[in-house]
Every structure is written in structure tokens, then in C-alpha cells.
Amino acid sequence: MAEFARQPRRKQCPFCKDECAYIDYKDAQMLRRYITDRGKIKSRRVTGVCTQHQHRLSVAIKRAREMALLPYTVKIVSGNGGRRNR
């Protein structure tokens, strides 16, 4: 008897579910959910956003970065001090 692997359920796009027509670049708190702790934009596979909204989301994040509402990168402070403390 062959066992069938269960297909993972597709995530529903949160913007389609709320019928959001416009993704506002000024809403930095909402946009922070879609970037990593390093400041990179999360992929569709991770967030579950559809293709159209992912494009609009990335444009909104890039505009928010230009307006200094979101960081481009986060400065990383490591504890090992680099090469000089060897």
C-alpha cells in the first residue's frame, strides 16, 4: 500500500484576503514584517504573498528606504573583533 505525502497547504496572500488595493510605503510597521532582521526583502515562498502584491510590496519597501523610513542594512556588531584580536 503506497502512502501519499500530504501536500502542504498554500498560504493565502494577506493583501488579497483584505482586498488591499494599495500598499502604502509610509506604513513602515507593516513593511517591517516583510523584511528580515538584516534588512533584506523576504521571498514570496516565505511570506505567502501573491506575485502582483510581492512586486508592489518590493516597490513600497524600496521607496520607504529612499525616504529613510526603513534601513537598507543593519549594522552588525560581532563579538570576535575581526582579524586584529587574534
Side-chain angles (χ1 to χ4, degrees):
M1 182 168 156
E3 291 193 31
F4 295 99
R6 188 167 178 212
Q7 291 289 337
R9 207 173 140 165
R10 294 284 305 177
K11 295 178 184 175
Q12 188 176 6
C13 176
F15 299 108
C16 290
K17 189 167 35 172
D18 295 339
E19 297 178 7
C20 181
Y22 176 71
I23 298 175
D24 192 11
Y25 71 92
K26 292 173 277 189
D27 190 2
Q29 200 63 28
M30 184 270 298
L31 295 176
R32 284 183 197 275
R33 293 189 310 185
Y34 298 100
I35 61 174
T36 63
D37 56 341
R38 301 274 178 109
K40 296 171 74 175
I41 300 172
K42 291 182 183 176
S43 67
R44 284 184 54 225
R45 183 178 52 82
V46 174
T47 59
V49 178
C50 68
T51 308
Q52 293 86 1
H53 286 115
Q54 178 71 20
H55 177 71
R56 292 178 189 164
L57 184 67
S58 65
V59 169
I61 289 172
K62 290 171 186 176
R63 281 186 183 158
R65 285 175 178 165
E66 281 287 317
M67 300 291 178
L69 300 173
L70 291 175
Y72 280 99
T73 59
V74 178
K75 187 174 181 180
I76 298 172
V77 179
S78 69
N80 49 359
R83 291 182 164 234
R84 295 181 187 226
N85 293 341
R86 283 188 176 179

